[in-house]
C-alpha cells in the first residue's frame, strides 16, 4: 500500500480509502466487518462515513468494526445534509454542527473525529459563523482536521482566506466527485488542491457502478444504483457516459483486469488526487477496486482512457492559452 499526505497535517493516508455509504443498509454488519478487516489487512488506514448514511447506522456499524484499531486509523465523517424533519436539523449552523458531531461521536463510539467535512456548502449560513463553530471543535479536541465536500473551489478558497484572517483551524481536505465521466474537479478543485496543499479524497470513482462494466450500452435491468436510484439515474443519464464505460471495460479486458480496477486506478493517478474512496455492497464487489492499489496507469494508458470522455473546458475562455 502506498501512503499519501493529508495536506500539511503530518497525517499519512493510504492511497485508497474505504467508503461506508451502504454499511448497515445494503451491507449487513457481518459483511461490513469482512470489508473493513480486508482493508486493514492490505494497509488501508482511512475510513469515510457521514452522519446521514443509513440514518446513522453506517457510523454505528463502522464504529463497532474499528473498535480494536481506533487509534491506527483516520476516521472521517460529515455534517450538513438533513438529519431530521426539524427546520434546523440541517446545514452548517453552529447548533446543528454541535448536535451532529455529538451524535456522530456517540454512534462511532469514539472521543474524536479525525476529519470532519462540511458535506455541502450551506448558502443560508455565513461561512464565518460555520468556521468559528468548527474552530471551537478543533480547539476542544473533538475534531482533529476539517474538510469540505461538494464545495466549489471559490467556496473553499474563501474559507481558506477567512481561516487565515482569523487564525481559525484551516480546511485541509476536499471531497469532490471525480471519475472518468465526471471530470469537473479537474478545472478548479484539483489545481486549487495542488496550489494550497489540500488533500483530495475523491468519491464515486466507479460513477456509482457505471464503470464496473455491468450496465452495458443497452442499460438492461441490472440490480444496481443506476437502475434503482432516481438520483443516480439522473446523474448518469447520458448515452455518452455508457459508451465511455463500454470502452473502459474493453480496455480493461485487454489488460486482463476488472474495469473497476482500471477506473479506480485512473482516478488515483491524477497528481492532485490523494486517494479515491472505494466502496461496494460486499467484499466481492470491493475486491476489484482494492486491486487498484497495485495497478499503475502509465502516461500512455492514462491518455488513452482520458480520451474516452471530453476534457472539461478551462476555467477561463482563453483556450488559446492552454498548454499543449
Ligand atoms: N461526499 C459525498 O457527497 C459523497 C457522495 C457519495 C459517496 N461518498 C463517499 O464515497 C464512497 C464511495 O462512493 P460511491 O459508493 O458512490 O463509489 P462508486 O465506486 O462510484 O460506486 C460504488 C457502487 O458501485 C457498485 N459496485 C462497486 N463495485 C462493483 C463491482 N465489482 N461489481 C458491480 N458493481 C459494483 C456498487 O453499487 P450497486 O451494487 O448498487 O451497483 C457500489 O456500491 C462512499 O461510500 C462514501 O463514503 C461521498
Amino acid at each position: 500500500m502506498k501512503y499519501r499526505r493529508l495536506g500539511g497535517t503530518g497525517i499519512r493516508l493510504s492511497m485508497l480509502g474505504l467508503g461506508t455509504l451502504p454499511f448497515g443498509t445494503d451491507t449487513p454488519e457481518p459483511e461490513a466487518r469482512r470489508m473493513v478487516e480486508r482493508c486493514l489487512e492490505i494497509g488501508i488506514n482511512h475510513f469515510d462515513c457521514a452522519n446521514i448514511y443509513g440514518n446513522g447506522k453506517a457510523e454505528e456499524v463502522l464504529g463497532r468494526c474499528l473498535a480494536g484499531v481506533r487509534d491506527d486509523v483516520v476516521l472521517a465523517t460529515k455534517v450538513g445534509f438533513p438529519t431530521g424533519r426539524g427546520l434546523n436539523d440541517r446545514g452548517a449552523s453552529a447548533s446543528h454542527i454541535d448536535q451532529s458531531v455529538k451524535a456522530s461521536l456517540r454512534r462511532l463510539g469514539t472521543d474524536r473525529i479525525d476529519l470532519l467535512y462540511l458535506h455541502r456548502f450551506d448558502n443560508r449560513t455565513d461561512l464565518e459563523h460555520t468556521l468559528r463553530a468548527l474552530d471551537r471543535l478543533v480547539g476542544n479536541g473533538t475534531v482533529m482536521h476539517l474538510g469540505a465536500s461538494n464545495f466549489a473551489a471559490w467556496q473553499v478558497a474563501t474559507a481558506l482566506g477567512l481561516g487565515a484572517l482569523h487564525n481559525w483551524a484551516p480546511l485541509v481536505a476536499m471531497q469532490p466527485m471525480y471519475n472518468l465521466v465526471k471530470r469537473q474537479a479537474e478545472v478548479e478543485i484539483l489545481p486549487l488542491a495542488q496550489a494550497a496543499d489540500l488533500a483530495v479524497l475523491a468519491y464515486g470513482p466507479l460513477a456509482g457502478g457505471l464503470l464496473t462494466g455491468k450496465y452495458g450500452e443497452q442499460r438492461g435491468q441490472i440490480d444496481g444504483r443506476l437502475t434503482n436510484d432516481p438520483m443516480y439515474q439522473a446523474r448518469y443519464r447520458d448515452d455518452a457516459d455508457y459508451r465511455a464505460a463500454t470502452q473502459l471495460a474493453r480496455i480493461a479486458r485487454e489488460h486482463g483486469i476488472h474495469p473497476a480496477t482500471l477506473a479506480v486506478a485512473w482516478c488515483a493517478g491524477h497528481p492532485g488526487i490523494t486517494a479515491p474512496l472505494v466502496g461496494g455492497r460486499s467484499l466481492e464487489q470491493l475486491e476489484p477496486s482494492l486491486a487498484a492499489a497495485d495497478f499503475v496507469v502509465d502516461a500512455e494508458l492514462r491518455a488513452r482512457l482520458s480520451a474516452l470522455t471530453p476534457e472539461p473546458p478551462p476555467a477561463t475562455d482563453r483556450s488559446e492559452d492552454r498548454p499543449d
Side-chain angles (χ1 to χ4, degrees), residues 17-22 26 47-50 53 78 81 117 119 149-150 175-177 179 202-210 212 214-215 222-226 228 232 235-236 258 260 264 277-282 284-289:
L18 179 67
T20 62
L21 176 66
D26 285 343
F47 296 84
D48 182 79
C49 203
Y53 294 169
K78 314 186 189 82
F81 277 93
Y117 294 95
H119 208 153
S149 182
N150 299 307
Q175 189 177 132
M177 183 189 304
N179 60 55
Y203 76 81
L206 299 180
L210 176 65
T212 63
K214 71 178 170 184
Y215 286 98
I222 303 296
D223 178 27
R225 252 190 247 174
L226 269 55
N228 306 339
Y232 279 88
R235 188 177 293 170
Y236 297 106
H258 194 288
V264 173
L277 299 170
V278 295
R281 298 178 187 215
S282 61
E284 188 191 356
Q285 275 197 352
L286 183 63
E287 287 287 6
S289 291

Side-chain angles (χ1 to χ4, degrees), residues 93-135:
S93 68
S95 57
H96 181 62
I97 290 174
D98 274 353
Q99 284 165 14
S100 173
V101 164
K102 280 192 190 108
S104 288
L105 290 171
R106 184 171 32 76
R107 290 189 293 254
L108 288 163
T110 186
D111 59 356
R112 68 186 191 284
I113 292 163
D114 298 317
L115 177 57
L116 178 72
Y117 294 95
L118 296 170
H119 208 153
R120 63 176 171 187
F121 189 75
D122 175 5
N123 54 20
R124 297 185 317 180
T125 307
D126 289 347
L127 201 45
E128 286 92 334
H129 177 92
T130 300
L131 295 173
R132 194 178 293 115
L134 292 174
D135 184 62

Side-chain angles (χ1 to χ4, degrees), residues 1-6 11-19 39-40 42-48 74 117 178 199-203 205 260-279 286-298 302:
M1 183 58 60
K2 298 183 194 73
Y3 294 89
R4 307 246 167 95
R5 299 164 62 253
L6 179 65
I11 299 292
R12 296 179 72 218
L13 296 168
S14 46
M15 64 158 289
L16 299 177
L18 179 67
C39 285
L40 293 169
I42 65 167
I44 287 179
N45 72 341
H46 170 212
F47 296 84
D48 182 79
V74 178
Y117 294 95
Y178 184 54
V200 180
L201 297 313
Y203 76 81
T261 307
L262 193 54
V264 173
W266 177 88
C267 176
H270 190 291
I273 294 287
T274 306
L277 299 170
V278 295
L286 183 63
E287 287 287 6
S289 291
L290 298 183
D294 297 316
F295 186 85
V296 176
V297 174
D298 65 21
R302 181 162 195 89

Side-chain angles (χ1 to χ4, degrees), residues 30 35 40 55 60 66 80 86 116 119 169 181 188 197 275 282 287 295 299:
M35 293 165 77
L40 293 169
N55 286 325
E60 290 172 359
L66 291 177
L116 178 72
H119 208 153
V181 298
E188 302 246 50
D197 194 17
S282 61
E287 287 287 6
F295 186 85

